Structure formats: structure tokens, C-alpha cells
Amino acid sequence: MSDAIVKQIEEQGNEVRRLKGDKSSTEDAKNEAIQKLLALKLAYKEATGQDYAAPNARQSKPKKEEKPKEKKQQQEKKPDGKKQTLLGVGTKKDENYSEWYSEVITKAEMIEYYDVSGCYVLRPWSFAVWEAIQAWFDSGIKKLGVKNCYFPMFVSNAALEREKTHIADFAPEVAWVTRAGQSEMAEPIAIRPTSETVMYPSYKKWVQSHRDLPIKLNQWCNVVRWEFKHPTPFLRTREFLWQEGHTAFANPSDAEKEVFQILDLYAGVYNDLLAIPVVKGRKSEKEKFAGGDFTTTVEAYVACNGRGIQGATSHHLGQNFSKMFDISYEDPAKEGERAFAWQNSWGLSTRTIGAMVMIHGDDKGLVLPPRVAAVQVIVVPVGFKTENKESLFDAVDKVTKDLVAGGIKAEHDLRENYNAGWKFNHWELKGVPIRFEVGPNDLAKNQVTAVIRHNGEKRQMSLDGLSEAVKTLLDEIHDAMYQKVLAQRDSHLKTTTCMEEFKKLLDDKCIILSPFCGLPECEEEIKKASTREDGEGAQMGAKTLCIPLEQPKQELPSKCIFPSCSHAAKAFALFGRSY
Amino acid sequence: MSDAIVKQIEEQGNEVRRLKGDKSSTEDAKNEAIQKLLALKLAYKEATGQDYAAPNARQSKPKKEEKPKEKKQQQEKKPDGKKQTLLGVGTKKDENYSEWYSEVITKAEMIEYYDVSGCYVLRPWSFAVWEAIQAWFDSGIKKLGVKNCYFPMFVSNAALEREKTHIADFAPEVAWVTRAGQSEMAEPIAIRPTSETVMYPSYKKWVQSHRDLPIKLNQWCNVVRWEFKHPTPFLRTREFLWQEGHTAFANPSDAEKEVFQILDLYAGVYNDLLAIPVVKGRKSEKEKFAGGDFTTTVEAYVACNGRGIQGATSHHLGQNFSKMFDISYEDPAKEGERAFAWQNSWGLSTRTIGAMVMIHGDDKGLVLPPRVAAVQVIVVPVGFKTENKESLFDAVDKVTKDLVAGGIKAEHDLRENYNAGWKFNHWELKGVPIRFEVGPNDLAKNQVTAVIRHNGEKRQMSLDGLSEAVKTLLDEIHDAMYQKVLAQRDSHLKTTTCMEEFKKLLDDKCIILSPFCGLPECEEEIKKASTREDGEGAQMGAKTLCIPLEQPKQELPSKCIFPSCSHAAKAFALFGRSY
């Protein structure tokens, strides 16, 4: 099977090269050929679980999802018995962001690779970020009256297939349990890819009257989507953690209001916790959640590769699911008629952590935004000799304990088998926002030296009122990190009405606001037109990231950006290459 | 297949009846025949997923795991349009605790039944109990330096089979994923029944030196054990939620110390949150965790059926897993030799909630211990007329808000389509610890009437300093509930050295302290000897619940309780029928 695809890919590759060399061939013909080549490569990936590699590369190229540069992580032993880890990130972010990313998440001890493809271990260093997000968001939804619950992970086939549009989207990625112990099951059972079809049969039972509404439930759980695309820790994994909220209302306006309340909370996770600016918007018809009425989203920008990344989505399902699952009651307004509930669902996943790493990380490693950092301040003793070591270590211990008592997540590093330089590198790699260097000279002046991770700035801080000063500094760091990313994003956020400029901007790693008619066919054409075959392999086309809620101030042109589109522009859409 | 078993069961039933009628037959012969009958019935269950029912009963008896008495939950409509639910529990706890349990958990809105057998929906009313337990326990382990993380749900067969003793115990219950979308997987992948084999390959990578120890990790997650025994919500389910801690130490004494620190936290969950006394002890050789060195446990007592219930377990794994998974480092004490880590694992599951329901519930429904109740005080307006309704509702709202501001989980019930009597029943069924009745007469005296759920006691409480008084009252309720269960338990906790008395006590719903040699063969014999065929079906034999850490004050007899055992007693063991 894959041999046949390989043959087709090779033939199509020749065709693309032929068209590129032929000056008489049209752009459309070239793009169509490239599109076909990409489709074949995707089919290859789906069949083999691996990226297609050209024949001369195929033998030597390692499987991409293998742990990168394992050797670099090995420890060497110095003659004095001190451990000497090959610290630091060996790849520059600008040069190869994909390899850089793998190095950072493993060396910063966020991820451990695992022997089931597409599954990864979330180590405490990354899980703490998730816990911070959970605590903040959970408290936010509880204020809206949402309650937590837990529904089973397993779905019967009958329930899963109830909503056809919905399942058409998910069916290719559903994992099936067919055996228990030594027994084959009579009916295979699916593992939830999302829980609409798990939950809504219960909602039907619970809704007898309009008084049983609203229902506002949320669960924190794992879901499984057995993707055949190239997996990436956090960003595309076969099992991931998320929260999924599922609410049902008696009238559409209450439901729609909540969609945007939740969207604001999602924006808050990015803005207020992760120090990442996001654009709030609606998904296009093509990109919305299958089976829902409309999808809202928060979209972030990843500068190193110029891609948009979907941050979290809040869907208004309308009455599509309530009609399929019969979540209804006797209409108090129209005797003898059934009224169907208006529903929402909304989800935020551990993908957030991947976005955070990609956006804030630098050539030294991870950079943690202060409000989600497991350790906000690492205290390191410096410049001591044997005779004053004990008193200095005591002082370091006291500084750390005072910070902890003041509500700061502080730890010290008193390990004796590492020198101060090694520790600096280690905690920079792990992205701790502030390093305190505590030495005899500083102490004599009643101060410590603070080194700020994200910009390398050094400053002296007085021991008096230190906790309060650190809190202020953490907020200052948060704001500065946010502003840095915002400036980066805004310098790559362009507006155009010209398709040729659009393609150029895309290759310049921009995300682009352009007038758009909203039709899926036209979005498909724009994607094709912006797909590009470069030296290394295919470069994907642009899709809409969202229709921003806040539209550009300039007047909307009458025409959709796509030259041959005959429809009027409905709004500015934000386009980009995307995760 | 099952026809053949049915025939054997019928024949063996006849044999048991023959032996019972035959005065010359020995007790041993009778017991052996009963034991064989039970084994056949168990085989039947495993083959069919259902309990064996005698031919005359088999046709009419409903499948036990179906939702009980669905009709009772339906709502009737009164002529005035007010909803009139058939409230209250239709079955008395003493008469049929199994049916009573099903009614309580569904009517109190803790559980919704689900269309995958052995899986249940945890509704907010029960999930809030779990959240309270999570918050308390999570804070406890974090103080011990344990960090949270998340490992994949999927296990490769190779990893799963690494520890033979361990997997022998779990293999018959493992659920296997064999298909993704339309593709058969090359290798089936298991869903974790517990995560030793998931985690320890990573532990191997992380341990290079004694300095990498201890590792102290925990995760809150779902696990799957596809049991073929009769499922019961909370108590025996195919998917359940738990926490699992996995720690590794450089020396055994640190590991062993932690086993008991965790056991104390587990005892705290029962004593301090759920108001349930537990016996701390070690599991016998027969009952310990497969692959570990020793297992400690907290055991509670369920009065309505006289059974012991395992509350949570903390295992010392010794070096068994570290040797299988090579979690080792160069021994600093013996050059050139490898030292293996000493490991623990420990878990507490949503079974806790089932124990709480069984132990505290009464004929009116659920009784929630105050510290885990989603609602601690429900405020209900009473004795009002149309003209003073608004002012009274305002007063109820103010009382409730003041309680919430004072840190009490308080809600009011201002629904107008239910009368006060219905509300009293409703909130009693749901087990809310305190009901406030607020009427014009009370308000005129600056007081409210408090009704205490667990004993029905009424008392007047002044509106001045109400929150503080309620806090005191909640503690008082907790203590009284604990003492009530303790007295019940202690009156059924007997000591004997005589096997005949042992059997009689067991039938009197006692748990029994008896001298025990500790050998698995002898435990098996005691189980056989105490198995009883009663009118309705088999009554299981006794097993050891634990070897209590705190032994009875009386001197240990030299002989094991089992008459034909030739070994010396090692300790008093706590025996009982068990979940």
C-alpha cells in the first residue's frame, strides 16, 4: 500500500518540478500540482505514521518522533566526582525551532518521551503550569455557577454516532477498546475524543421542564484523538488533558452570553497567566466545531515560525445536539409543543503549555511567566569559602523561608556537587523568572542580587521588605514579557487586500487581516493559492485563524481578497499558517 | 459454555442439600461442597457477566445492574402545575441495603446510570465530595514533598508484562485498545489498571546517582479494571478515579517511614473528613499487593451488612520493581556494584464516596459529613404569606449571604413551585448537614431554627455571630457522626480464639480479631470454613481485613485460630466478610 503511494509521490514530484521549469504553465496549474503532492504525502503519513522522506534521505533520516539528541542529556563524570551535565540548548531557536523545542522541553524536565507513539509524560515542571491554569480557570467558572463532575471515558458506538456531522469529524481518530483480559467484547467501545455524546444522553434525562435549566457542568479529564499526523509534545498528542464545559439553557441569549464569558476567561488564561496576547474571534464556517452553530476562539502568534496557534475554543451548539439527543421539555409558551435546549461546549487543553514554551523560550531554554512558574525565585549561594560557607548557607535558607512565608514560590539550591555557574545555567534552562545570588558582599550590604530570566537584567534588592518587592517585580516581569510578545506579534500582524502581497507577507512569517466572504470554498482556494513547495518540503497554505471580534478601524472593502471570488467581503478575517 | 456450568451448578446444589440433610456428613465435607458450588457460580458470572439465578428465579429476575425503580423517579404533575416528585427512599436500609443504596445514590443526585456496563456518571453532588478529599489530601502530600505529574493512560504490552507477579494479578482485567479509526493497530495497547509499569521505565532514566533520589510523584487520574464481578457504583466500577503516588528512595528506612506517613493521611481522610473510624493495619500475605513487599491499609466497617471495606492502601514495593525495571545507580558504598531503589506506591479512590454513603446513610437518604458536603447549610423560608413573602425572602437571602461570607457553604431554596415540606424532604434526601428554617416568628426573635440532618435534632440559633456558631455546630456534627459510627463498629468488633464462635460472630455481622499464623493456605482454609450457603444464595467466607498495627492488649495465644493449623499465631488478625 505505502509502496504505491511512494510511486505516486515520486511521479507527482516530477510533475511539480516540470511545471516549475515550464514558463508557460499557469500559477493555478502549479498550485494544483503542489496541492496534490501534499495530499499524497499526507496519505503516506497516515498509512505509515511517518513523514515521507525522499529516497536518498529515507534510509538515514531518523524517525522524527524519537527523542532528539539523547546523548547530549547524558551526564559525564569529572575526575573530582562532580557531575557535569552537558547543559544548555544545543540548537538555536531561529535556526531550527522544531529541534530547539524538543531540546528545551526535555532538558527543562517538562516532558519525558514514552514508548507509545504520540503519548508523553508530563513531569512536575510542566504539570505545575497546568495546575496553576486549573486553579485560576476553575475558580473563574465556579463564579459563573459551573459545577465539576465526571462522566465515563467510554462511549458506546450508538451514542457516539448520534450526531452525524460531529462524528464525521472525529471518527477517523477514535481509539476503540475491543478486548478485556482474554475476552473479545461483543461491542467495541470507544474512548472519548470529546464528551458531547457521552454527556447528552444524561442531559436528556435531567431535563423535564424549563426549571431544570440551565445545566452548567465541567470536567477536567483526559481525551484521546488518535491522530496520524506527526505528533509533538503538548501541541499534538494522542492523549491530552483538558477541561470541557457543557452547558444547556432555556433560551439562546443566555447561552450566547456565556460563550463570550468563557472566551474572556480563556483570554485571561493567556493574558493574565501566560503573558501571551491573543486575538478573540469567531471561527470561519470551514474551521468551526462540527455540529455546532458557531465557534469562538482565542488565537496566539508564534514568532519563530510565523504561525497562528489556536488557544482555546468556546462553542455555541445551538439546538443541533439537543435535537439529536432530545434534550427538551414542554414549551411553557406553546402548549403541546416541545422546546429544545440551547447548548454550549468549551475546552482548554495542555496545548497551552506548548504555546507558552514556543512563544517565550529563548536560546538559553525555557522562560516561565511568573504566575505559572513552579518556582518563581531560585536562591543560589555565591562567592563563599569553606570558612564562611555555613553562615552563608544559613542566610540563604533564611532568605528563602522569608520569601515562602511571604507567599512567593521560592526554593534554594544548596547542592555541593555543582558550582554556581552550573546552577545559573541549570535554572536559566528551566526558566525560573528570578535568580537571587546571595554572597557575603551582598549580605554585608543587607541586599541580594536579582537576575531576571527573560532579559538578563541584574539589580540589587534590599533584604528589608523583600517579599513585597519581589511580588512587584514578578508583576513587572509578567507585564514586560507580555509587552515583548505583543510588540513581536503586532509587527507581524499586517492588513492587505491584495492576494500577491498576502502570499509574500505569509512567507515573511506574518499573520494577515484581509477582507473575506466567509465561504468554505473560497477559504479552500486561498489555502491552495498560498501553499508553497520550498526546498525542504511543502509549506502549508494559510487558513483563517478567526474573524476577530474587534475589527480593524479601516473601512471594509467590498470585495473578498481572493481575486476570482465574486462574493462580497463580510468581515476582515485573520489568516495565517497555523498549528 | 454457560449451559454446561448451569448443569454443574444444579448438580452441585443438589449435593450440598444432600450433605446438609445427611447427619453423618462432616462439616469439612459440607464446606468443601459449598466452596465448590461458589466456585462454579463465580465461573458462571465470569462467563456471562451476570449473577447465577436459580431456574425459577432466572426468568423474572431483572439484571441487577439495571437502574432500580426508574418509575419512582418520575415526576407527577399536580393539578395546580406544581411539580410533585415521589420523594424519599422506598426501601429501608435494614431490609435491603443493596436496593436502598441504589435508590439513595440516584435520588440524591450523586450517580446517573450509563449505557456502558460498570461505568457511572459522577454528578456534581458526589464529585464535590471527591474535590474536598482531593484538596485535603493533595495539600497533605505536598507538605511531604510529593509533586503532581501526569503519565500516559496507555501501556505497551512489553512494559506491562515486565513484573510477572504484578501482571498476573491484573491481566484478567486489562482493557485493550486494538483499533484506531478504521485501522487495526500493529500492537494492541493496554489501558492502565494502575501505573507501576507505566512510570518505572521513566524512573530508570531519571536515576543515575543516589543524588537523583528520592523521587516523589503523584497523579490524579482515571484507571480501568474490567472486572467481571457484579458492578456497584463507587464500590466496584470498571473505570474509577483515584490518586496514585509512586516514590523511590535510596534506603529502605526512608521508604518505610513514608508508607506509614501516607497511611496516616489516609486515616485522616476517613477520620477527619468522612467521619468514619478506620483500623490501620498490614495486609496478610494472601491479600497484599502483587509484586510488593508489604501492604498497609485502613479498614472501615459497614454496619448494615457487617462487612469490612478497604479504605485505601499504601504499599512498600521493596526492590522488586526497581530490579525488574533497573532503577539503580552505582552504589557509593560498594564500588562497582549497583544499588537498587526502594519503592512505594499508594492509592485512594472514589470508592471512599461509596463507603461514606453506606456507612452514614439512613432511611431518609444520604447523610453527608459536614467537611465534604457541597452544601453545609440549606436555608428554607417557612410560614409566610403573600404579603410578607418578599421581606422574608430578602431576609433568607441575607442570612445565606452572611453565612457564605463567613466561610460556610450555604445555599437557599427560594423555589416557588415547591412547598416547605417538599423542600425538607428533598434536602434531607440529599443529606445536607444543617437545614435552617427561617420564618417570620423566628426572625422576630432574631433567630433561626436549625435542624440537624443526622439526628433530626432542632435548635434555635441567634442571628448574632451565626457563622461562628455554625462552624462550631458543623464540628459538633462531625464528631457526633464519628462517635455514632465508632460505637456501632466497636459493638461489632469481637475477639475470639474459637473457630465455632468465629463463624457465629461472622453471621452476627461482626468483624473479628483472632490469633493467626499468617499463612495464605491457612487463610484459605478459614475462608472455606466460614463460607455458608444460606437461603438466598451463597454467603462469602471471611478473609483477613488486616493485621492491626495496634494489637489487642490481651496476650497473644500461642495457636492460630484455625483448629487444624499446626503453626504458631504471629499476631491478632482482623477477619471479616469484605467488599
Side-chain angles (χ1 to χ4, degrees):
Chain A
M1 148 80 174
S2 69
D3 280 355
I5 299 182
V6 166
K7 192 151 172 283
Q8 287 184 61
I9 290 176
E10 284 165 4
E11 286 171 7
Q12 189 63 24
N14 290 337
E15 175 66 8
V16 168
R17 278 184 287 278
R18 191 190 64 75
L19 286 169
K20 281 184 174 177
D22 180 357
K23 283 185 184 164
S24 71
S25 69
T26 63
E27 280 302 300
D28 269 8
K30 277 189 247 177
N31 287 334
E32 201 175 309
I34 292 170
Q35 201 65 34
K36 195 172 162 195
L37 179 61
L38 291 181
L40 286 166
K41 286 185 177 176
L42 191 64
Y44 179 90
K45 258 194 215 173
E46 280 174 358
T48 64
Q50 288 181 39
D51 281 330
Y52 172 82
N56 52 355
R58 215 176 304 146
Q59 295 262 294
S60 58
K61 209 174 175 183
K63 257 182 83 175
K64 262 200 181 166
E65 71 194 30
E66 276 168 18
K67 199 171 159 181
K69 307 251 168 103
E70 181 127 21
K71 273 187 190 154
K72 282 201 183 158
Q73 290 180 280
Q74 298 295 326
Q75 287 150 350
E76 283 180 3
K77 214 170 178 181
K78 288 210 300 185
D80 62 357
K82 286 196 179 177
K83 228 162 52 167
Q84 181 70 18
T85 306
L86 290 172
L87 260 185
V89 184
T91 313
K92 290 203 184 303
K93 193 179 181 186
D94 278 352
E95 286 168 7
N96 186 338
Y97 67 83
S98 167
E99 199 160 295
W100 168 87
Y101 180 78
S102 293
E103 273 198 65
V104 168
I105 57 175
T106 48
K107 291 192 170 179
E109 300 176 312
M110 300 188 93
I111 284 286
E112 183 64 62
Y113 282 76
Y114 190 66
D115 74 343
V116 175
S117 171
C119 296
Y120 306 92
V121 178
L122 302 190
R123 302 183 68 177
W125 201 249
S126 58
F127 199 80
V129 176
W130 187 236
E131 286 184 301
I133 293 171
Q134 285 189 298
W136 189 91
F137 185 77
D138 202 70
S139 137
I141 57 175
K142 279 181 175 157
K143 279 177 204 147
L144 296 177
V146 177
K147 287 177 176 165
N148 284 332
C149 63
Y150 188 74
F151 279 74
M153 169 174 68
F154 295 117
V155 204
S156 69
N157 195 29
L160 192 64
E161 291 203 331
R162 203 82 69 82
E163 219 288 354
K164 296 291 175 193
T165 331
H166 177 68
I167 195 54
D169 245 39
F170 286 104
E173 298 175 357
V174 168
W176 293 92
V177 176
T178 65
R179 182 149 56 90
Q182 294 303 319
S183 322
E184 293 296 321
M185 289 178 175
E187 284 283 334
I189 295 170
I191 301 178
R192 61 180 164 221
T194 174
S195 297
E196 280 75 6
T197 59
V198 173
M199 291 178 152
Y200 299 165
S202 289
Y203 282 39
K204 170 190 160 69
K205 292 185 202 169
W206 297 335
V207 175
Q208 309 274 342
S209 136
H210 67 281
R211 292 199 185 86
D212 299 321
L213 295 171
I215 295 174
K216 297 182 180 189
L217 296 182
N218 178 68
Q219 65 183 11
W220 295 93
C221 64
N222 57 345
V223 286
V224 172
R225 298 181 187 172
W226 207 266
E227 299 215 40
F228 291 94
K229 290 182 201 160
H230 177 53
T232 309
F234 300 121
L235 297 171
R236 188 186 291 126
T237 61
R238 286 178 168 173
E239 181 192 5
F240 59 86
L241 302 180
W242 78 347
Q243 64 63 222
E244 48 179 327
H246 294 265
T247 54
F249 297 83
N251 65 68
S253 60
D254 288 348
E256 287 188 29
K257 185 181 163 198
E258 190 211 52
V259 167
F260 293 99
Q261 286 174 322
I262 296 296
L263 194 69
D264 284 342
L265 286 175
Y266 287 151
V269 167
Y270 282 88
N271 296 336
D272 299 341
L273 292 183
L274 299 173
I276 295 174
V278 286
V279 176
K280 292 192 281 187
R282 289 188 186 225
K283 284 286 182 189
S284 68
E285 204 51 31
K286 181 165 183 287
E287 293 293 326
K288 74 170 196 188
F289 182 67
D293 267 14
F294 67 86
T295 290
T296 65
T297 179
V298 291
E299 299 281 328
Y301 170 75
V302 179
C304 62
N305 53 21
R307 291 200 205 173
I309 184 164
Q310 176 180 302
T313 46
S314 177
H315 315 290
H316 179 52
L317 306 178
Q319 295 183 310
N320 301 317
F321 284 88
S322 65
K323 284 179 178 167
M324 294 299 171
F325 286 89
D326 189 23
I327 305 170
S328 69
Y329 53 93
E330 197 174 309
D331 194 333
K334 295 175 196 164
E335 202 170 333
E337 285 191 29
R338 305 297 293 169
F340 291 90
W342 297 85
Q343 293 182 269
N344 299 332
S345 71
W346 27 273
L348 170 88
S349 79
T350 38
R351 164 179 265 212
T352 43
I353 304 171
M356 179 198 81
V357 175
M358 283 298 260
I359 290 171
H360 290 301
D362 63 20
D363 288 345
K364 287 183 179 171
L366 187 65
V367 182
L368 284 170
R371 292 174 196 160
V372 296
V375 177
Q376 297 170 314
V377 180
I378 184 74
V379 188
V380 180
V382 297
F384 55 92
K385 301 195 176 109
T386 312
E387 56 270 26
N388 60 2
K389 193 192 91 176
E390 198 177 321
S391 66
L392 184 70
F393 276 33
D394 286 348
V396 165
D397 192 50
K398 185 175 182 315
V399 167
T400 311
K401 282 189 177 138
D402 286 351
L403 288 172
V404 171
I408 314 284
K409 289 176 184 162
E411 287 186 8
H412 52 50
D413 187 346
L414 300 179
R415 288 179 287 179
E416 303 202 16
N417 54 324
Y418 297 105
N419 62 32
W422 188 95
K423 290 177 186 176
F424 295 173
N425 289 337
H426 175 74
W427 294 106
E428 281 178 353
L429 174 56
K430 292 187 68 116
V432 172
I434 302 173
R435 174 175 81 237
F436 273 0
E437 299 174 6
V438 180
N441 297 340
D442 274 328
L443 281 182
K445 295 182 206 159
N446 194 43
Q447 67 183 28
V448 297
T449 301
V451 183
I452 295 168
R453 172 65 182 89
H454 83 101
N455 60 8
E457 189 194 317
K458 277 197 182 196
R459 57 173 83 169
Q460 264 61 46
M461 295 180 80
S462 166
L463 286 174
D464 300 329
L466 189 58
S467 288
E468 285 313 305
V470 167
K471 277 184 194 165
T472 307
L473 179 55
L474 289 170
D475 282 340
E476 188 189 304
I477 291 172
H478 174 91
D479 293 342
M481 286 177 69
Y482 180 89
Q483 290 302 332
K484 186 156 86 181
V485 176
L486 182 65
Q488 231 171 20
R489 201 267 320 262
D490 283 351
S491 68
H492 288 85
L493 176 56
K494 303 290 184 186
T495 306
T496 185
T497 57
C498 160
M499 196 63 211
E500 287 310 307
E501 191 187 3
F502 181 103
K503 289 195 262 181
K504 195 182 159 304
L505 287 168
L506 204 61
D507 287 346
D508 289 344
K509 297 187 179 172
C510 288
I511 49 177
I512 305 148
L513 284 163
S514 291
F516 177 52
C517 66
L519 294 175
E521 310 86 78
C522 196
E523 183 164 355
E524 191 61 45
E525 291 295 329
I526 292 170
K527 187 176 175 187
K528 273 190 205 167
S530 57
T531 300
R532 189 168 58 76
E533 173 85 358
D534 64 10
E536 288 171 29
Q539 183 80 50
M540 75 178 87
K543 60 184 188 183
T544 56
L545 305 174
C546 66
I547 323 291
L549 299 187
E550 192 181 325
Q551 286 281 307
K553 291 207 177 69
Q554 69 189 83
E555 203 186 332
L556 181 68
S558 60
K559 241 190 80 30
C560 173
I561 184 171
F562 195 64
S564 58
C565 172
S566 60
H567 294 89
K570 290 257 178 65
F572 279 100
L574 183 62
F575 289 88
R577 296 201 165 104
S578 167
Y579 274 93
Chain B
M1 149 81 178
S2 70
D3 280 355
I5 299 183
V6 167
K7 190 149 175 284
Q8 285 184 59
I9 291 176
E10 283 166 4
E11 286 172 6
Q12 189 63 23
N14 290 336
E15 175 67 7
V16 168
R17 278 184 288 278
R18 191 191 64 74
L19 285 168
K20 281 184 171 176
D22 179 358
K23 283 185 184 165
S24 72
S25 70
T26 64
E27 280 303 299
D28 270 5
K30 278 191 247 176
N31 286 335
E32 200 175 309
I34 291 169
Q35 201 64 32
K36 195 173 164 197
L37 178 60
L38 291 181
L40 286 166
K41 287 185 177 176
L42 191 63
Y44 179 87
K45 258 195 215 173
E46 281 174 1
T48 64
Q50 289 180 38
D51 280 333
Y52 172 84
N56 51 357
R58 217 177 304 148
Q59 295 260 295
S60 58
K61 209 172 176 184
K63 256 182 82 175
K64 261 195 184 173
E65 70 194 25
E66 278 168 20
K67 199 172 158 182
K69 305 253 168 101
E70 182 128 17
K71 275 190 191 153
K72 280 198 184 164
Q73 290 178 281
Q74 300 294 328
Q75 288 150 351
E76 283 180 3
K77 212 168 180 184
K78 286 210 303 186
D80 61 359
K82 286 196 178 177
K83 228 160 57 164
Q84 182 69 20
T85 306
L86 289 171
L87 263 184
V89 185
T91 313
K92 288 199 185 306
K93 192 178 182 184
D94 278 353
E95 286 169 3
N96 186 339
Y97 66 84
S98 167
E99 198 161 298
W100 168 88
Y101 180 78
S102 293
E103 274 198 64
V104 168
I105 56 175
T106 48
K107 292 191 169 180
E109 301 177 310
M110 301 188 92
I111 282 286
E112 183 64 64
Y113 282 78
Y114 189 68
D115 75 343
V116 174
S117 171
C119 296
Y120 306 91
V121 178
L122 303 190
R123 302 183 67 177
W125 201 249
S126 58
F127 198 80
V129 176
W130 187 236
E131 286 184 301
I133 292 170
Q134 284 187 299
W136 189 91
F137 185 76
D138 202 68
S139 137
I141 57 175
K142 280 181 175 156
K143 279 177 203 146
L144 295 178
V146 177
K147 287 177 176 162
N148 284 331
C149 63
Y150 187 75
F151 279 73
M153 168 173 71
F154 295 117
V155 204
S156 69
N157 194 30
L160 192 64
E161 290 202 330
R162 204 82 68 84
E163 219 289 354
K164 296 291 175 195
T165 331
H166 177 67
I167 195 54
D169 245 38
F170 286 104
E173 297 176 358
V174 168
W176 292 92
V177 176
T178 65
R179 183 148 55 90
Q182 294 302 318
S183 324
E184 292 297 319
M185 291 177 173
E187 283 282 335
I189 295 171
I191 301 178
R192 62 181 163 220
T194 173
S195 298
E196 279 75 7
T197 58
V198 173
M199 292 177 152
Y200 299 165
S202 289
Y203 283 38
K204 169 190 161 68
K205 292 185 202 169
W206 298 335
V207 176
Q208 309 275 343
S209 135
H210 68 281
R211 292 200 184 86
D212 299 321
L213 295 171
I215 294 173
K216 298 183 178 188
L217 297 182
N218 178 66
Q219 65 182 11
W220 295 93
C221 64
N222 57 346
V223 285
V224 172
R225 298 181 187 172
W226 208 265
E227 298 216 42
F228 291 93
K229 291 183 202 160
H230 177 54
T232 310
F234 301 120
L235 298 170
R236 188 186 291 126
T237 61
R238 286 177 168 174
E239 180 192 4
F240 58 86
L241 302 181
W242 76 348
Q243 62 64 224
E244 48 180 326
H246 294 266
T247 54
F249 298 83
N251 66 66
S253 60
D254 288 347
E256 287 188 28
K257 184 180 163 200
E258 190 211 52
V259 167
F260 294 99
Q261 286 174 322
I262 296 295
L263 194 68
D264 283 342
L265 285 176
Y266 288 151
V269 167
Y270 282 88
N271 296 337
D272 299 341
L273 291 184
L274 299 172
I276 296 173
V278 286
V279 176
K280 290 191 282 187
R282 288 187 186 228
K283 285 285 182 189
S284 68
E285 204 51 31
K286 182 165 183 289
E287 294 292 327
K288 76 170 192 187
F289 182 68
D293 267 15
F294 67 86
T295 290
T296 66
T297 178
V298 292
E299 300 279 329
Y301 169 75
V302 178
C304 62
N305 54 21
R307 291 201 205 172
I309 183 164
Q310 177 180 303
T313 45
S314 177
H315 315 290
H316 179 52
L317 306 178
Q319 296 182 309
N320 300 317
F321 284 87
S322 65
K323 284 180 177 166
M324 294 298 171
F325 287 87
D326 188 23
I327 304 168
S328 69
Y329 51 92
E330 196 174 308
D331 195 332
K334 295 175 197 163
E335 203 170 333
E337 285 192 28
R338 304 297 293 170
F340 291 89
W342 297 85
Q343 294 182 269
N344 299 330
S345 71
W346 26 273
L348 170 87
S349 79
T350 37
R351 164 178 264 209
T352 43
I353 305 172
M356 178 200 82
V357 174
M358 283 299 259
I359 290 171
H360 290 301
D362 64 20
D363 288 346
K364 288 182 178 171
L366 188 63
V367 182
L368 284 171
R371 290 171 197 163
V372 295
V375 177
Q376 296 171 314
V377 180
I378 184 74
V379 188
V380 181
V382 297
F384 55 93
K385 297 189 176 118
T386 312
E387 58 270 24
N388 60 2
K389 193 192 90 175
E390 199 179 320
S391 66
L392 183 70
F393 275 33
D394 286 348
V396 164
D397 191 50
K398 185 174 183 314
V399 167
T400 311
K401 283 188 177 141
D402 286 351
L403 289 172
V404 170
I408 312 285
K409 290 176 183 161
E411 287 185 9
H412 53 50
D413 187 346
L414 300 180
R415 287 178 289 180
E416 302 202 16
N417 56 323
Y418 297 106
N419 62 32
W422 187 95
K423 291 178 185 176
F424 294 174
N425 288 336
H426 175 74
W427 295 107
E428 280 178 353
L429 174 56
K430 290 187 69 112
V432 171
I434 302 174
R435 175 174 79 238
F436 273 1
E437 300 173 5
V438 179
N441 297 341
D442 274 328
L443 281 183
K445 294 184 207 160
N446 194 42
Q447 66 182 29
V448 297
T449 301
V451 184
I452 294 166
R453 171 66 182 88
H454 85 99
N455 61 8
E457 190 194 315
K458 276 194 183 200
R459 56 173 85 169
Q460 263 62 47
M461 295 180 81
S462 166
L463 285 175
D464 300 330
L466 189 58
S467 289
E468 285 313 305
V470 167
K471 277 184 194 164
T472 308
L473 179 56
L474 289 170
D475 282 341
E476 189 188 304
I477 291 172
H478 174 92
D479 292 343
M481 285 177 69
Y482 180 89
Q483 289 301 332
K484 187 155 87 182
V485 176
L486 182 65
Q488 233 171 17
R489 201 268 320 261
D490 283 351
S491 68
H492 289 84
L493 177 55
K494 304 290 184 185
T495 305
T496 183
T497 57
C498 160
M499 196 63 210
E500 287 309 308
E501 192 187 2
F502 181 103
K503 290 194 261 181
K504 195 180 159 303
L505 287 169
L506 204 61
D507 289 346
D508 290 343
K509 298 186 178 172
C510 288
I511 49 176
I512 305 147
L513 284 163
S514 291
F516 177 52
C517 66
L519 294 174
E521 311 84 79
C522 195
E523 183 163 355
E524 191 60 47
E525 292 293 331
I526 291 170
K527 187 176 177 188
K528 274 190 203 169
S530 57
T531 301
R532 189 167 58 75
E533 172 87 359
D534 63 12
E536 290 170 27
Q539 183 80 50
M540 73 179 87
K543 61 183 187 184
T544 55
L545 305 175
C546 68
I547 321 292
L549 299 187
E550 191 180 326
Q551 286 281 307
K553 293 210 177 64
Q554 71 191 79
E555 203 186 333
L556 181 68
S558 60
K559 240 191 81 27
C560 173
I561 184 172
F562 194 65
S564 58
C565 172
S566 60
H567 295 90
K570 290 257 176 68
F572 278 99
L574 182 62
F575 289 87
R577 296 198 166 107
S578 168
Y579 273 92

